[in-house]
Amino acid sequence: MSDEDHYYVAGYSAEDDPYSEANGVLKNKLGITNTRDLNELEADLAALAVRELLTRPIPKEFSVAVLQAIHKEIFGEVYPWAGQFRKVDIAKGDTFFETHKDIGKKLDLLFDQCKSKDFFVGHSQDQFAQELGDFLLELNRIHPFREGNGRTQRLLSSQMALNAGYSISWESVSNDAMKRVCIEGVEGDSLPMKKLIKLNLSVAPIVSLDQEKAQVMQRKAALREQYFVPSKKFKNEP
C-alpha cells in the first residue's frame, strides 16, 4: 500500500496511458511538468485532504462508488482523472496487479463480501484486524487507480474502523513495514497484515472536528499561495 513508483506491464507504455504525458509525468491540473515537483505538491495536498475527510460524517455503507469518491476527494485538486480506474496494466517490484479490464468486477465482489459481514461492525479487535487485513490485501492486489492507491486504502480503512468503533494510527506505520506485509499477503500469508493492524488499532477517541477542520483549511490556503500554478483545462472536465 505504499505509493512507490509503478511500472507498465509488458505491452503497455506511457503512450497507452490516458493519464500520463509522453514524458511519463502524470497529467495534472497544476501545469507541473516534472515528477519531483508534482510528487511534492501532491503529497502536501493529499495529506490535507485526508485530514479534512476524517472530519466529515462516516459512511454507514462502503462500496465501489465510495472508494472512487474518496480517491477523487484526495487527489481531485491535482489530477483531472481522480476517482477513475486505471486504463493500463501495472506492477510494482515483483507484484503484478489486477488487469485493468477486470478491476470493476473484482471490486464488486470484494465489497459485496464486505457488506455481507456488515462491514465488520460488532467484531472484537482481533476479529476486526483479521477481516480488515484480508480486505486491504485484496484491495491492494486489485490496485484500481493509476496513482494514490495506498493513501486511498488507508483513508477508506480508517473510515471503516471508525464505523466499527475503532481507530487506526496509520502514521505509526512505515512505508517499509506496509510494503513488507503487502508482499507477504500476495504470497499467501495474511497474518503479518493482521498483526500490523491490531498493533495500531484502538477504541476510537473523541476529537474536536471543528478545530481540526479549521487547521486543514488554513494549511490548504497557505499551500495554494506558495505553489500556485495556473490550472490546465482538460477535455471533458466540468
Side-chain angles (χ1 to χ4, degrees), residues 10-231:
Y12 292 91
S13 69
E15 294 181 355
D16 306 301
D17 191 348
Y19 307 150
S20 175
E21 302 287 2
N23 65 353
V25 177
L26 293 174
K27 292 181 178 178
N28 61 88
K29 298 180 176 181
L30 308 171
I32 297 176
T33 58
N34 70 86
T35 299
R36 185 187 64 181
D37 290 347
L38 177 60
N39 287 348
E40 180 179 341
L41 182 52
E42 180 222 78
D44 286 341
L45 289 173
L48 289 170
V50 167
R51 286 177 60 187
E52 184 178 356
L53 281 167
L54 287 172
T55 68
R56 299 182 186 178
I58 306 164
K60 294 303 180 184
E61 286 202 2
F62 300 91
S63 63
V64 177
V66 169
L67 177 72
Q68 290 180 280
I70 288 173
H71 189 271
K72 187 171 183 178
E73 289 279 359
I74 295 175
F75 299 103
E77 289 196 53
V78 181
Y79 300 124
W81 43 267
Q84 301 177 36
F85 296 147
R86 56 183 165 85
K87 306 295 185 182
V88 291
D89 291 350
I90 59 175
K92 181 189 295 184
D94 295 325
T95 302
F96 290 78
F97 301 113
E98 186 62 62
T99 58
H100 73 279
K101 293 181 180 179
D102 288 332
I103 287 173
K105 177 174 63 177
K106 294 300 176 66
L107 285 177
D108 284 340
L109 178 61
L110 177 62
F111 278 93
D112 283 347
Q113 292 173 340
C114 184
K115 184 176 182 178
S116 72
K117 298 178 180 180
D118 198 23
F119 307 106
F120 320 138
V121 172
H123 285 37
S124 68
Q125 288 194 22
D126 188 74
Q127 292 173 322
F128 183 84
Q130 180 66 65
E131 293 287 3
L132 185 65
D134 291 342
F135 173 83
L136 283 179
L137 287 173
E138 176 62 7
L139 182 56
N140 186 62
R141 188 199 66 79
I142 297 170
H143 231 66
F145 304 107
R146 179 61 181 80
E147 180 62 33
N149 288 278
R151 285 163 286 181
T152 302
Q153 291 164 23
R154 288 189 286 274
L155 190 282
L156 174 67
S157 62
S158 292
Q159 290 185 331
M160 293 175 71
L162 289 170
N163 184 56
Y166 298 116
S167 176
I168 303 178
S169 300
W170 285 119
E171 62 273 13
S172 304
V173 181
S174 69
N175 285 338
D176 285 343
M178 183 57 70
K179 179 180 178 181
R180 185 166 58 252
V181 299
C182 285
I183 291 174
E184 289 172 318
V186 169
E187 295 173 347
D189 186 3
S190 64
L191 185 58
M193 175 64 87
K194 173 190 173 181
K195 289 182 176 178
L196 183 147
I197 291 174
K198 189 175 180 180
L199 183 64
N200 295 281
L201 191 68
S202 61
V203 176
I206 299 175
V207 297
S208 174
L209 298 184
D210 289 340
Q211 183 178 7
E212 174 72 5
K213 195 166 187 176
Q215 292 175 353
V216 169
M217 298 309 293
Q218 289 173 1
R219 178 59 180 153
K220 287 181 76 172
L223 276 174
R224 290 194 185 99
E225 183 176 346
Q226 179 180 356
Y227 289 100
F228 177 75
V229 179
S231 297

